[in-house]
Amino acid sequence: MEPENDTQLSEFLLLGFSEQAEIQPLIFGLFLSMYLVTVLGNLLIILATISDSHLHTPMYFFLSNLSFVDICFTSTTVPKILVNIQTQSKAITYAGCITQMYFLLLFSGLDIFLLTVMAYDRYVAICHPLHYMVIMNTQLCRLLVVACWIMSVLNSLLHSFMVLRLSFCTDLEVPHFFCELNQVVHHACSDTFLNDMVIYITALLLAVGPLTCILYSYSKIVSSICSISSAQGKYKAFSTCASHLSIVSLFYCTLLGVYLSSALTQNPHSTATASLMYTVVTPMLNPFIYSLRNKDIKSALTRLLVRTPGKGPVIPLQ
């Protein structure tokens, strides 16, 4: 007998990290703190890049877009976690689960593509410094960001429509704190072979393609830095891309950790903990990495925070 399609009436139960009632306030406080730090830190980066004319460059244009995406990325999961803990409910509606999955795929894809574009920006800046402003003009920068959005939207739409074709039965407990694509697909009671193939192919393309571009860019960057004769010149050239390299390493290492933990262990709580790193911790750390290692950002943040009270920052229209 074919399983009845109950997707219009079904709910998913997000089991989260622990069912022990005594540690729920601790989990709530931890997630709330990380969320507030993430939003405030990335918002300060955006305000600093907008308000300071010294930061109206391609590098900081891409950084402000990355900060906006990180705020949105975290906002797709943490508020729902906080609501569920506060209401002592683990339920998320079918429509809510599909919506959350769509935006998670959208903003994670944007993170990957923006980090790739930022690597290309650093490549042009270090390998072709005399032609940097000509190559990385305003039109190209905007076009690259639009291309990132288009590719991410298409990827998330593809997976969302693939999930919509599935039928779900009664076992809807997801051992995760958000609607992770793999977990949801494997809870379907209809055939998921086509979904699995699409997931593997798109994951391979999203992992190998951008990462290859990043590695190629940095191979050229390292080659150019090694050709610089002075030690001071080498340090200055490397410092311009050190923050981006740190974020790339953090993002890809945590993302790789998620897939390795899910492949090597059958413990769903380990996978959920690993997922916490790239969905919550990495977006929280990005502003600190850029502000602590970047003198321009630190100066802009200082000027932003010490403005005369009541006047507020002057945000240019263009």
Side-chain angles (χ1 to χ4, degrees):
M1 179 181 294
E2 289 296 323
E4 183 181 356
N5 188 346
D6 294 326
T7 54
Q8 297 300 323
L9 303 174
S10 63
E11 284 185 333
F12 290 95
L13 296 179
L14 302 176
L15 300 185
F17 297 101
S18 174
E19 298 181 6
Q20 299 179 17
E22 59 270 18
I23 68 169
Q24 294 305 307
L26 177 62
I27 296 176
F28 181 88
L30 182 63
F31 272 100
L32 180 60
S33 301
M34 290 192 294
Y35 182 63
L36 292 176
V37 170
T38 301
V39 173
L40 180 61
N42 283 288
L43 192 58
L44 285 174
I45 295 292
I46 294 172
L47 291 176
T49 55
I50 292 176
S51 61
D52 196 314
S53 59
H54 296 91
L55 302 183
H56 292 176
T57 63
M59 174 182 172
Y60 297 109
F61 172 71
F62 296 131
L63 175 60
S64 62
N65 277 274
L66 181 66
S67 295
F68 171 74
V69 169
D70 282 341
I71 292 175
C72 297
F73 190 23
T74 308
S75 298
T76 59
T77 56
V78 177
K80 180 59 179 174
I81 297 170
L82 298 176
V83 170
N84 281 6
I85 294 175
Q86 196 69 12
T87 59
Q88 297 183 353
S89 169
K90 299 176 181 179
I92 182 172
T93 64
Y94 175 76
C97 188
I98 298 297
T99 302
Q100 186 185 65
M101 187 190 310
Y102 170 82
F103 284 108
L104 276 167
L105 291 168
L106 172 64
F107 294 122
S108 61
L110 276 168
D111 258 340
I112 293 173
F113 291 130
L114 283 173
L115 289 174
T116 306
V117 168
M118 292 171 75
Y120 174 71
D121 172 72
R122 292 300 82 207
Y123 158 72
V124 177
I126 294 176
C127 299
H128 306 283
L130 298 179
H131 301 93
Y132 176 69
M133 294 309 298
V134 176
I135 298 173
M136 300 301 296
N137 55 71
T138 303
Q139 184 178 2
L140 178 62
C141 291
R142 291 175 179 173
L143 184 62
L144 288 172
V145 171
V146 170
C148 291
W149 275 91
I150 291 174
M151 289 187 290
S152 298
V153 166
L154 292 177
N155 176 63
S156 53
L157 279 175
L158 173 63
H159 288 295
S160 299
F161 284 133
M162 291 296 296
V163 172
L164 287 172
R165 61 181 283 275
L166 297 175
S167 298
F168 294 90
C169 301
T170 56
D171 184 18
L172 299 177
E173 292 186 348
V174 179
H176 222 300
F177 62 94
F178 62 86
C179 289
E180 199 267 337
L181 177 61
N182 256 328
Q183 295 284 350
V184 173
V185 168
H186 291 153
H187 276 74
C189 53
S190 55
D191 182 43
T192 62
F193 175 76
L194 187 58
N195 292 74
D196 290 333
M197 290 300 297
V198 172
I199 290 173
Y200 292 143
I201 292 172
T202 55
L204 187 64
L205 292 175
L206 287 177
V208 176
L211 186 59
T212 300
C213 294
I214 292 172
L215 293 177
Y216 176 78
S217 297
Y218 273 102
S219 68
K220 293 294 184 181
I221 288 172
V222 171
S223 178
S224 296
I225 291 176
C226 291
S227 65
I228 299 174
S229 56
S230 66
Q232 184 179 1
K234 290 181 179 179
Y235 175 79
K236 185 177 180 180
F238 179 76
S239 64
T240 62
C241 57
S243 298
H244 174 258
L245 188 58
S246 301
I247 291 177
V248 169
S249 302
L250 181 64
F251 182 81
Y252 272 96
C253 286
T254 53
L255 198 60
L256 184 62
V258 171
Y259 287 100
L260 286 178
S261 64
S262 61
L264 298 178
T265 67
Q266 299 300 319
N267 188 347
H269 291 292
S270 299
T271 304
T273 304
S275 299
L276 175 68
M277 292 299 297
Y278 82 92
T279 56
V280 180
V281 176
T282 300
M284 180 184 68
L285 294 179
N286 286 355
F288 292 100
I289 293 174
Y290 261 97
S291 60
L292 292 176
R293 299 184 62 91
N294 192 300
K295 293 181 180 179
D296 293 334
I297 288 289
K298 285 193 285 188
S299 300
L301 288 174
T302 301
R303 287 191 290 270
L304 179 68
L305 296 174
V306 300
R307 289 182 187 275
T308 305
K311 292 185 177 181
V314 178
I315 301 179
L317 297 176
Q318 297 181 347

